[in-house]
Amino acid sequence: MSMPDAMPLPGVGEELKQAKEIEDAEKYSFMATVTKAPKKQIQFADDMQEFTKFPTKTGRRSLSRSISQSSTDSYSSDSSDDEVSPREKQQTNSKGSSNFCVKNIKQAEFGRREIEIAEQDMSALISLRKRAQGEKPLAGAKIVGCTHITAQTAVLIETLCALGAQCRWSACNIYSTQNEVAAALAEAGVAVFAWKGESEDDFWWCIDRCVNMDGWQANMILDDGGDLTHWVYKKYPNVFKKIRGIVEESVTGVHRLYQLSKAGKLCVPAMNVNDSVTKQKFDNLYCCRESILDGLKRTTDVMFGGKQVVVCGYGEVGKGCCAALKALGAIVYITEIDPICALQACMDGFRVVKLNEVIRQVDVVITCTGNKNVVTREHLDRMKNSCIVCNMGHSNTEIDVTSLRTPELTWERVRSQVDHVIWPDGKRVVLLAEGRLLNLSCSTVPTFVLSITATTQALALIELYNAPEGRYKQDVYLLPKKMDEYVASLHLPSFDAHLTELSDDQAKYLGLNKNGPFKPNYYRY
Amino acid sequence: MSVQVVSAAAAAKVPEVELKDLSPSEAEPQVGLSTAAVGAMAPPAGGGDPEAPAPAAERPPVPGPGSGPAAALSPAAGKVPQASAMKRSDPHHQHQRHRDGGEALVSPDGTVTEAPRTVKKQIQFADQKQEFNKRPTKIGRRSLSRSISQSSTDSYSSAASYTDSSDDETSPRDKQQKNSKGSSDFCVKNIKQAEFGRREIEIAEQEMPALMALRKRAQGEKPLAGAKIVGCTHITAQTAVLMETLGALGAQCRWAACNIYSTLNEVAAALAESGFPVFAWKGESEDDFWWCIDRCVNVEGWQPNMILDDGGDLTHWIYKKYPNMFKKIKGIVEESVTGVHRLYQLSKAGKLCVPAMNVNDSVTKQKFDNLYCCRESILDGLKRTTDMMFGGKQVVVCGYGEVGKGCCAALKAMGSIVYVTEIDPICALQACMDGFRLVKLNEVIRQVDIVITCTGNKNVVTREHLDRMKNGCIVCNMGHSNTEIDVASLRTPELTWERVRSQVDHVIWPDGKRIVLLAEGRLLNLSCSTVPTFVLSITATTQALALIELYNAPEGRYKQDVYLLPKKMDEYVASLHLPTFDAHLTELTDEQAKYLGLNKNGPFKPNYYRY
């Protein structure tokens, strides 16, 4: 039952995998400072550059995490704290427990407020708490987790606790932890080992503290990036005897699991929540549809009506971008390599062109192909004055930015994330986020998307924990469609949407269970 | 889980089994590499069996439970995965108006004489349907269970207007006819009509550039050289283009009709004239039907090595009568849901002894049959029947699958206020994110101006709903057969039916309230609008490529199983249609292809990609 096809990066070599990691690096290097306030955004381009100066190994810690746009926001607590490593500190929470390690337990109150705000926007998890209150579907579950530690994750963790689980948690990224939130979790009795700005050594120490505990052995793993799983494999293989399942969130982690599975070394069931329908649609189609306009507006204040835009690639991301731009009255061209997607673009009313056919006339170039060097120096040379170039797709490979680092071109940073590249004849090209992902660099991720991710994780844990013996073998599974549907249904109330129920008669006619699943597995949505 | 999925498959028109896919690029093209994977990755959710992969591949679609009028009507219909077979032709509407005039097209209500040509034909179509119901079940069956592809049904609409009047009553079987080259290896109504038919074919060729491009591209190599194809499809100008394309690619063809009414006599004559052994005429009897098929298959010194089938009758006949023939047959290409279903059953029973290709479920074809086609036809159908304006009208669309998505997009673009009802939370969430209010039907039923059903379900609009609608509300069905609106419940004494024009009934309540019911609850897009040739072109191209693929596949690539069209072929079908849009596909550079780990010529996406 090896499933090469099922892998998120089918038939793709190591090179691409590395590229993935770089991409994740891109995303999460921001994590440290990404903030809600536009002012703070200005800092992060610079931070970015510092990050890249880190020694490679540490640098890597900040990558290969979930591509889920999730968990980005935070407020920088950089300023305040002292320089003593949290590992050296003796801290106890108000109940006298010191089974945690965070920057400063005294910040708990601030963190609690953040969590409460996040709860407002994550009604799906809250309703999950309510619905499952009686049964406690996770009673007896001992979950060890390794994810970004943000207010949203905190809501997830507290939901898991409310459903009966015991949790121990560490951060999957050395920069992304919100210290206040970690403190609030510690105060509430969750064993959290994480702070912002861990060293490589700290990172593994935290994971180890989660796993290696006298008298407590994990029976579920929630991982984001695969490091926790890796550590347990390496150090405590015996732990797997008791483990009922792994839930993995990120592309990288899922990729690692498939490799393990292929090598026959996976000894517990694992659930790939990255590829669930609901999550995929929200991470790509809907999220990009929202953020493309936001990102462009924030950086350039451009008006879209009547502007000519070329979007490279018509996958989920491209479809989202095009829909948004079309709605604002932009004239949209598409480039595609896949004839099926190209035909979809045609039927959706977009002109399918080759890039060099329109490059002289367009006002905005947006890449979302997942490919590299889609916009080359040659294209950039031919663009008209003040053409805007940005990337929504993949890492920083799509626009050949390095080719712009030549002596005859002048770079001028006009504001954070916005560079003017000036040709000798005075022509300017507006390059956004230096070719990195626009939606991560220059816009925010709606909590709704984070809520989808967190709910999917919670349901995957419940499913794996409660599955009868033998339902899941030692393999990597997709979230069952029924669960996927449940995630969706938990989010419908935010739209005040009223789902119709099948009558018995109708269910019989269709041969469906009234409660789903409603579609066969291969259904394309 | 298995149970649900099973019939979900039936209802959703696609048998589960076809997850089996195959990518020709894979070293060992064994069946469902991907299949197993997908299956494996989707374990049963609630209490199903743990071994997801295996059952996924085995699960056959189960017929809709025999409760519907469908089953009652004919055994054959019962065998059919309901949504599918009925999608296009829905002979199940229970009330049958009595008409005389046999099977010939009788010109219908005079009311529409001023209507444009197409409309007129459409109208005939509906009446024709009603006549079908009067036929003995067995013959009645002949007219159904064919391809759901909008493709083949279209035949009716473009159906020969010339024929009806002219011809004599002698059965073509009794006639001695020769074409201009002296051959009499055919049987059509009247070979003299060839010229008219040729004109029809030439018109169709204009609109099917993909097949013409295929002819050109493959001219040198003749990928079907040596292929002996026996076919059984609707015989229309579009199929004729397909057939002649196959001929141009080197194949020998013998052809019969898969439907006793759908044959265009002129086209058949034109094909016979140009040397194709065609055995088909409009208005065959059950006996004629099988006789034609037999004449195609049973020839001295000619044995087919490929089958192109639409509905599975040809395959069935060969199995029954000439099982030995399968020794030489390289593969079956099947177009319709019904036929595919039969093939899966054969395969499950271990009786399938050649590879078969399910072209019904290719991405391109599915998108065009459902999403795009319905997006176009909903407005057309409503306009033609009611001449209404859409701007600001409140519309409720029941169901947000491919058909529902198409309808909503079109209506939204016209400025309508669209509500959606859904049972599947994922589709419901999609509707929300696309900006539609998700409601239950009874929450909005009092206020809406139009109700459109596209659920594939039954009794979605009940008498209770109908009672509560406001005056002048339009009710129509885009989904499935005639089950979605409970029309039977309107046949009560207190309600008055008034036919205001063809396909449009006013149902009048005692208090004077009128409901406008379109096509008596049958499929609006079939009854009241036309199918674009572009869609037919997609289907025909897919068939041609499937034949080429099966015929040229190296020994062992395909086993005795039912396969989906390889993604690469699917992509090729799409690419052949891009010139119509003057669309310019970008090519990967070597470097980019390497970076992505893709072949420059595709396939470009993994099998599970959702598009």
Side-chain angles (χ1 to χ4, degrees):
Chain A
M1 206 164 24
S2 74
M3 42 191 88
D5 280 355
M7 298 206 302
L9 310 170
V12 170
E14 194 59 22
E15 189 189 352
L16 186 51
K17 192 199 159 198
Q18 282 164 5
K20 266 287 170 207
E21 296 206 346
I22 294 165
E23 173 185 1
D24 288 349
E26 286 294 325
K27 297 182 177 174
Y28 291 102
S29 44
F30 295 114
M31 198 137 290
T33 36
V34 175
T35 46
K36 289 165 188 160
K39 191 180 155 236
K40 288 187 188 153
Q41 292 229 348
I42 294 162
Q43 296 170 345
F44 68 39
D46 296 336
D47 286 344
M48 176 59 203
Q49 284 157 359
E50 273 155 39
F51 290 175
T52 39
K53 279 188 285 177
F54 268 79
T56 340
K57 246 201 147 183
T58 320
R60 220 200 90 231
R61 285 279 62 75
S62 63
L63 15 146
S64 60
R65 295 304 163 274
S66 61
I67 58 149
S68 136
Q69 319 230 351
S70 337
S71 41
T72 7
D73 53 277
S74 136
Y75 37 104
S76 28
S77 48
D78 320 316
S79 44
S80 54
D81 302 309
D82 54 80
E83 288 311 304
V84 189
S85 162
R87 284 165 71 173
E88 317 292 332
K89 286 191 198 168
Q90 286 292 337
Q91 298 183 82
T92 48
N93 69 11
S94 60
K95 285 161 210 133
S97 161
S98 57
N99 187 13
F100 62 86
C101 185
V102 300
K103 185 80 173 177
N104 185 358
I105 186 73
K106 299 202 183 78
Q107 296 174 322
E109 207 176 312
F110 293 105
R112 177 55 50 194
R113 215 176 49 202
E114 282 292 317
I115 296 174
E116 278 163 8
I117 293 171
E119 280 175 358
Q120 300 298 318
D121 293 335
M122 300 180 81
S123 52
L125 281 179
I126 305 302
S127 70
L128 196 61
R129 285 187 201 175
K130 279 204 199 104
R131 292 197 199 188
Q133 202 94 67
E135 354 160 9
K136 300 260 179 207
L138 288 176
K142 293 176 179 172
I143 302 173
V144 57
C146 177
T147 66
H148 299 282
I149 294 187
T150 62
Q152 285 82 12
T153 338
V155 178
L156 169 63
I157 295 171
E158 298 196 335
T159 304
L160 297 176
C161 293
L163 301 184
Q166 294 172 33
C167 297
R168 295 178 74 82
W169 228 262
S170 65
C172 72
N173 182 296
I174 53 174
Y175 295 115
S176 70
T177 304
Q178 295 179 333
N179 283 335
E180 297 81 356
V181 169
L185 283 170
E187 173 63 35
V190 179
V192 177
F193 302 85
W195 58 93
K196 182 177 192 154
E198 296 167 5
S199 69
E200 174 86 7
D201 184 58
D202 292 339
F203 178 82
W204 294 115
W205 179 84
C206 287
I207 289 186
D208 193 70
R209 283 293 306 273
C210 283
V211 182
N212 182 17
M213 159 94 180
D214 270 334
W216 193 90
Q217 210 173 346
N219 53 23
M220 299 289 298
I221 294 179
L222 177 63
D223 206 352
D224 184 345
D227 283 319
L228 171 60
T229 309
H230 175 75
W231 185 260
V232 175
Y233 257 101
K234 219 170 103 192
K235 297 284 181 177
Y236 309 101
N238 280 333
V239 169
F240 277 107
K241 285 185 192 146
K242 291 228 171 168
I243 288 206
R244 295 212 197 175
I246 302 170
V247 173
E248 171 60 55
E249 160 70 23
S250 75
V251 175
T252 320
V254 166
H255 186 61
R256 286 181 176 187
L257 285 173
Y258 279 121
Q259 282 180 329
L260 271 183
S261 161
K262 224 174 143 188
K265 285 185 193 160
L266 187 66
C267 49
V268 294
M271 187 102 39
N272 163 7
V273 297
N274 181 60
D275 292 309
S276 83
V277 186
T278 318
K279 182 170 174 304
Q280 280 286 333
K281 286 273 178 198
F282 274 90
D283 272 5
N284 299 307
L285 180 65
Y286 299 129
C287 203
C288 293
R289 196 177 67 183
E290 306 262 330
S291 55
I292 179 68
L293 303 181
D294 185 27
L296 285 170
K297 283 273 188 206
R298 284 193 201 193
T299 48
T300 66
D301 298 316
V302 65
M303 252 194 62
F304 293 100
K307 285 282 191 308
Q308 298 192 57
V309 184
V310 60
V311 176
C312 304
Y314 201 67
E316 294 279 14
V317 174
K319 288 183 175 87
C321 293
C322 291
L325 291 164
K326 191 184 194 183
L328 284 191
I331 298 156
V332 183
Y333 303 97
I334 304 282
T335 74
E336 230 327 322
I337 57 155
D338 179 339
I340 298 181
C341 292
L343 198 56
Q344 288 183 302
C346 291
M347 292 302 293
D348 291 343
F350 299 108
R351 296 275 305 129
V352 177
V353 297
K354 291 188 182 186
L355 187 54
N356 55 25
E357 296 167 0
V358 294
I359 197 72
R360 279 181 188 282
Q361 75 201 58
V362 293
D363 303 293
V364 185
V365 178
I366 301 168
T367 58
C368 24
T369 64
N371 203 339
K372 75 174 190 183
N373 295 347
V374 175
V375 177
T376 62
R377 172 65 190 266
E378 198 194 332
H379 292 127
L380 290 157
D381 282 340
R382 296 172 60 207
M383 284 172 191
K384 70 181 185 191
N385 188 30
S386 75
C387 179
I388 297 169
V389 186
C390 65
N391 171 28
M392 289 286 289
H394 167 53
S395 180
N396 58 350
T397 59
E398 307 210 13
I399 302 166
D400 189 3
V401 176
T402 48
S403 74
L404 292 175
R405 305 272 183 198
T406 52
E408 81 276 17
L409 302 184
T410 316
W411 283 58
E412 202 172 87
R413 165 141 298 196
V414 297
R415 55 173 91 164
S416 169
Q417 306 292 347
V418 184
D419 288 290
H420 280 189
V421 183
I422 308 167
W423 265 251
D425 64 356
K427 179 184 92 170
R428 286 164 186 253
V429 167
V430 183
L431 178 65
L432 302 185
E434 299 180 55
R436 295 187 312 270
L437 288 168
L438 179 72
N439 52 338
L440 290 183
S441 310
C442 315
S443 75
T444 52
V445 176
T447 309
F448 197 73
V449 173
L450 307 177
S451 171
I452 297 260
T453 306
T455 314
T456 309
Q457 287 172 321
L459 286 177
L461 285 168
I462 294 173
E463 168 69 16
L464 272 182
Y465 187 70
N466 291 296
E469 187 80 52
R471 178 186 292 173
Y472 296 104
K473 313 264 185 256
Q474 294 160 6
D475 210 331
V476 187
Y477 294 87
L478 275 185
L479 191 68
K481 186 168 290 283
K482 200 169 173 179
M483 287 298 183
D484 221 348
E485 288 174 350
Y486 191 53
V487 172
S489 72
L490 284 172
H491 287 86
L492 287 175
S494 12
F495 298 100
D496 188 25
H498 303 172
L499 205 61
T500 304
E501 271 181 34
L502 288 175
S503 69
D504 290 330
D505 197 31
Q506 289 174 329
K508 196 178 151 213
Y509 178 74
L510 294 176
L512 290 176
N513 184 310
K514 276 172 78 170
N515 302 315
F518 298 102
K519 299 290 190 302
N521 283 321
Y522 58 85
Y523 187 75
R524 293 195 184 97
Y525 291 95
Chain B
M1 179 184 180
S2 48
V3 185
Q4 305 126 342
V5 174
V6 165
S7 8
K13 293 182 281 254
V14 231
E16 174 81 18
V17 208
E18 82 231 303
L19 267 178
K20 225 159 259 201
D21 194 343
L22 164 150
S23 142
S25 66
E26 274 153 22
E28 349 134 64
Q30 245 80 330
V31 197
L33 264 176
S34 47
T35 324
V38 174
M41 294 182 49
D49 69 48
E51 308 241 17
E58 284 164 18
R59 267 174 234 143
V62 165
S67 52
L73 185 75
S74 85
K79 275 200 300 189
V80 166
Q82 307 242 353
S84 45
M86 303 315 146
K87 175 129 198 269
R88 301 283 114 203
S89 52
D90 57 326
H92 296 332
H93 74 125
Q94 293 128 323
H95 103 105
Q96 301 160 12
R97 284 194 303 143
H98 224 67
R99 283 190 142 267
D100 42 23
E103 80 284 357
L105 286 177
V106 181
S107 198
D109 327 70
T111 41
V112 274
T113 33
E114 82 289 357
R117 178 165 162 265
T118 21
V119 173
K120 184 163 168 236
K121 286 186 188 154
Q122 293 287 348
I123 292 153
Q124 292 173 345
F125 175 40
D127 288 335
Q128 204 180 351
K129 281 278 168 54
Q130 290 164 353
E131 275 149 33
F132 289 176
N133 283 341
K134 288 189 308 190
R135 304 210 142 243
T137 340
K138 248 200 147 185
I139 301 188
R141 215 199 90 226
R142 287 276 63 76
S143 63
L144 14 145
S145 61
R146 293 301 164 277
S147 61
I148 57 146
S149 130
Q150 317 231 5
S151 343
S152 16
T153 27
D154 178 61
S155 42
Y156 302 103
S157 40
S158 61
S161 23
Y162 339 76
T163 8
D164 326 321
S165 42
S166 56
D167 302 309
D168 54 79
E169 288 310 307
T170 323
S171 162
R173 285 166 72 172
D174 301 326
K175 284 191 200 168
Q176 287 293 336
Q177 297 183 85
K178 274 193 173 105
N179 69 11
S180 59
K181 286 160 208 131
S183 160
S184 59
D185 185 16
F186 63 84
C187 186
V188 300
K189 186 79 174 181
N190 183 358
I191 186 73
K192 296 202 185 77
Q193 296 174 323
E195 207 176 313
F196 293 106
R198 178 53 53 191
R199 216 177 47 203
E200 285 286 322
I201 295 174
E202 278 162 8
I203 294 171
E205 280 175 359
Q206 300 298 318
E207 293 164 330
M208 302 179 84
L211 282 180
M212 304 310 283
L214 201 59
R215 284 189 201 177
K216 278 206 198 101
R217 292 198 198 187
Q219 202 93 67
E221 357 160 6
K222 299 262 178 208
L224 288 176
K228 295 175 178 175
I229 303 174
V230 57
C232 177
T233 65
H234 299 282
I235 293 187
T236 63
Q238 286 82 10
T239 345
V241 178
L242 170 63
M243 224 182 290
E244 298 195 333
T245 304
L246 297 177
L249 300 184
Q252 294 173 33
C253 300
R254 296 179 72 84
W255 229 262
C258 72
N259 182 297
I260 53 176
Y261 295 115
S262 70
T263 304
L264 294 181
N265 284 335
E266 296 82 357
V267 169
L271 285 170
E273 173 60 35
S274 57
F276 285 94
V278 173
F279 302 85
W281 57 93
K282 183 175 192 151
E284 296 168 5
S285 70
E286 173 86 5
D287 185 54
D288 292 338
F289 178 81
W290 294 114
W291 179 86
C292 286
I293 288 185
D294 194 68
R295 283 294 306 273
C296 284
V297 180
N298 184 14
V299 199
E300 291 269 339
W302 193 89
Q303 215 175 344
N305 52 23
M306 299 289 298
I307 297 177
L308 177 62
D309 206 352
D310 185 346
D313 282 321
L314 173 59
T315 309
H316 175 75
W317 184 258
I318 297 181
Y319 258 100
K320 220 170 105 193
K321 296 282 179 176
Y322 310 101
N324 280 334
M325 228 169 242
F326 278 106
K327 284 182 194 148
K328 290 227 173 173
I329 285 192
K330 289 203 179 187
I332 303 170
V333 173
E334 171 60 54
E335 159 71 23
S336 75
V337 174
T338 321
V340 166
H341 181 58
R342 285 182 176 186
L343 285 173
Y344 280 119
Q345 283 180 329
L346 272 182
S347 162
K348 212 178 145 198
K351 286 185 193 161
L352 187 66
C353 49
V354 294
M357 187 85 72
N358 163 6
V359 298
N360 179 59
D361 293 305
S362 83
V363 185
T364 321
K365 181 169 174 303
Q366 281 285 335
K367 286 275 176 195
F368 274 90
D369 274 3
N370 299 308
L371 180 65
Y372 299 131
C373 206
C374 294
R375 196 178 64 183
E376 305 262 330
S377 55
I378 178 69
L379 302 181
D380 185 29
L382 286 170
K383 282 274 188 204
R384 286 193 198 194
T385 46
T386 65
D387 298 317
M388 73 170 316
M389 262 197 50
F390 295 102
K393 287 281 193 310
Q394 296 192 58
V395 185
V396 61
V397 175
C398 305
Y400 200 68
E402 294 278 14
V403 175
K405 288 183 176 87
C407 293
C408 289
L411 291 163
K412 190 183 192 185
M414 296 295 287
S416 301
I417 298 155
V418 183
Y419 303 96
V420 173
T421 75
E422 235 319 326
I423 57 156
D424 178 339
I426 297 180
C427 292
L429 199 57
Q430 287 183 302
C432 292
M433 290 302 293
D434 292 342
F436 299 108
R437 291 277 306 130
L438 193 82
V439 297
K440 292 188 182 187
L441 187 54
N442 55 23
E443 296 167 0
V444 294
I445 197 71
R446 279 181 189 284
Q447 73 202 59
V448 293
D449 303 294
I450 308 176
V451 179
I452 301 168
T453 58
C454 24
T455 65
N457 203 340
K458 75 174 194 183
N459 295 347
V460 175
V461 177
T462 61
R463 172 64 190 266
E464 197 194 331
H465 292 127
L466 290 157
D467 281 341
R468 295 172 60 209
M469 284 172 192
K470 70 181 185 190
N471 187 29
C473 183
I474 296 168
V475 186
C476 66
N477 171 28
M478 289 285 291
H480 165 53
S481 179
N482 60 348
T483 57
E484 306 209 14
I485 302 165
D486 190 4
V487 175
S489 73
L490 292 175
R491 303 277 178 197
T492 50
E494 79 276 19
L495 300 184
T496 317
W497 283 58
E498 201 173 86
R499 164 141 298 197
V500 296
R501 57 172 89 166
S502 167
Q503 306 291 348
V504 184
D505 288 289
H506 280 189
V507 183
I508 307 165
W509 265 250
D511 63 358
K513 177 185 91 169
R514 287 166 184 252
I515 297 290
V516 183
L517 178 65
L518 301 186
E520 298 179 56
R522 296 187 312 271
L523 287 169
L524 180 72
N525 52 338
L526 288 185
S527 311
C528 315
S529 76
T530 52
V531 175
T533 309
F534 198 72
V535 174
L536 306 177
S537 172
I538 296 261
T539 306
T541 313
T542 310
Q543 287 171 320
L545 286 177
L547 284 169
I548 294 174
E549 168 70 16
L550 271 183
Y551 186 68
N552 291 297
E555 188 77 16
R557 178 183 292 174
Y558 296 103
K559 315 262 185 258
Q560 294 159 8
D561 209 333
V562 188
Y563 294 86
L564 274 187
L565 191 67
K567 185 167 289 282
K568 201 171 172 176
M569 287 298 183
D570 220 347
E571 289 174 348
Y572 192 51
V573 172
S575 72
L576 284 172
H577 287 87
L578 287 176
T580 319
F581 299 100
D582 187 25
H584 303 172
L585 206 60
T586 304
E587 271 181 33
L588 288 175
T589 65
D590 291 329
E591 185 202 27
Q592 288 175 329
K594 196 179 151 216
Y595 178 73
L596 293 176
L598 290 176
N599 185 311
K600 274 174 81 171
N601 303 314
F604 297 101
K605 299 287 191 300
N607 283 319
Y608 61 85
Y609 188 74
R610 294 194 183 98
Y611 292 96

